[in-house]
Amino acid sequence: MKIFVAGATGAIGRPLIAQLQAQGYDVVALTRSPERAQTLAEQGVESAIADVFDADAVKAAINSTQPEVVIEQLTSLPKTYTGESMGAAAALNTRIRREGGANVLAAAQAAGVRRYLRQSIAFWAVPGAGLADEETPLAFNASPAVAADILTVTEIERRLLGNPNIEGIALRYGFFYGPGTWFATDGDVAKQVRQQQFPIVGNGKGVWSWLHIEDAAIATVAAVERGNPGIYLITDDRPLEVRVWLSAYAQWLNAPPPLQVSVEDTLLLSGADAVYYGTQMRGASNAKAKRELNFQPRPLEWMVNTPVAHAS
């Protein structure tokens, strides 16, 4: 089976291609860079060179390779995880997901692609008790940047899942950690935590849902093979409050304990989005993915052998 991957050189794209190759799939990776195409060729991966904002070029790339499945992992995220850098990247990230993604989907449909999977987000359900599932409404009244991203996610999911001509699957991933992510030991968040620049906000009861980047790739391949059209929450088994995971993360990094900052000070210094992530976010249930995809995520690596982890 031939699989076309858009977003093949990002954090998830690299392990995804490795998993697809390991399972014997014929992979075509979309890139706009001849240099990256050469790197992909050295890995035994066929590449198609096109800019996702050039609809005709994308259509030609997919039509010429004739894949059965397209996996869309298009994002444009910064290397640093701060309010300023995320804000600066927001316009391009939104455009690449909306416009670039629309071009890839239209090209896939025109080429007769049978199945289409795309990246989405697991942690933006409306706040409330317990874990959210695939039917839980999203938090359209959340803080400004979160609410804007939720509108984008809703648009791109509806565009895919409402298309009667293709088997659409939206994979709502948790927070990525592992190699190449912000939360890797050499990633930007690890740097911030070592410098006590990533605080616990207020009561620290915002619940984060996690996902190792390699587990994201494994789950995506499983969805290619046996996922039903619709939405899947792809997260690990143990969503955690910020006050728990961040304290354990700092210990794992041999960093000083995180500072605690009031909601009022956070609103002044970092804005409402930081308060939302720190105090209101709701965890996600992976029950459907475990049941239908046989998903078996690993435990969060810094929650295994730290005193804070055992105390929680």
Side-chain angles (χ1 to χ4, degrees), residues 154-223:
T154 301
E155 176 187 317
I156 60 182
E157 286 188 352
R158 286 177 177 169
R159 183 173 63 204
L160 172 61
L161 302 179
N163 189 323
N165 301 312
I166 207 162
E167 297 174 4
I169 297 176
L171 299 171
R172 292 182 179 175
Y173 300 121
F175 283 96
F176 290 149
Y177 72 96
T181 72
W182 291 316
F183 294 89
T185 55
D186 60 350
D188 186 63
V189 173
K191 177 181 177 181
Q192 293 182 48
V193 170
R194 291 187 180 101
Q195 298 175 350
Q196 291 186 301
Q197 294 176 346
F198 199 109
I200 297 171
V201 176
N203 59 17
K205 290 193 173 182
V207 180
W208 289 40
S209 298
W210 293 95
L211 182 63
H212 193 282
I213 197 75
E214 292 176 5
D215 287 340
I218 291 167
T220 302
V221 175

Side-chain angles (χ1 to χ4, degrees), residues 43-85:
Q43 299 168 356
V45 178
E46 179 185 353
S47 60
I49 299 176
D51 187 323
V52 293
F53 298 127
D54 185 337
D56 291 338
V58 173
K59 185 175 181 179
I62 293 181
N63 191 57
S64 66
T65 54
Q66 287 293 302
E68 293 181 58
V69 177
V70 168
I71 303 175
E72 182 197 327
Q73 301 282 4
L74 294 173
T75 59
S76 180
L77 296 172
K79 291 184 178 181
T80 57
Y81 183 65
T82 66
E84 293 79 7
S85 61

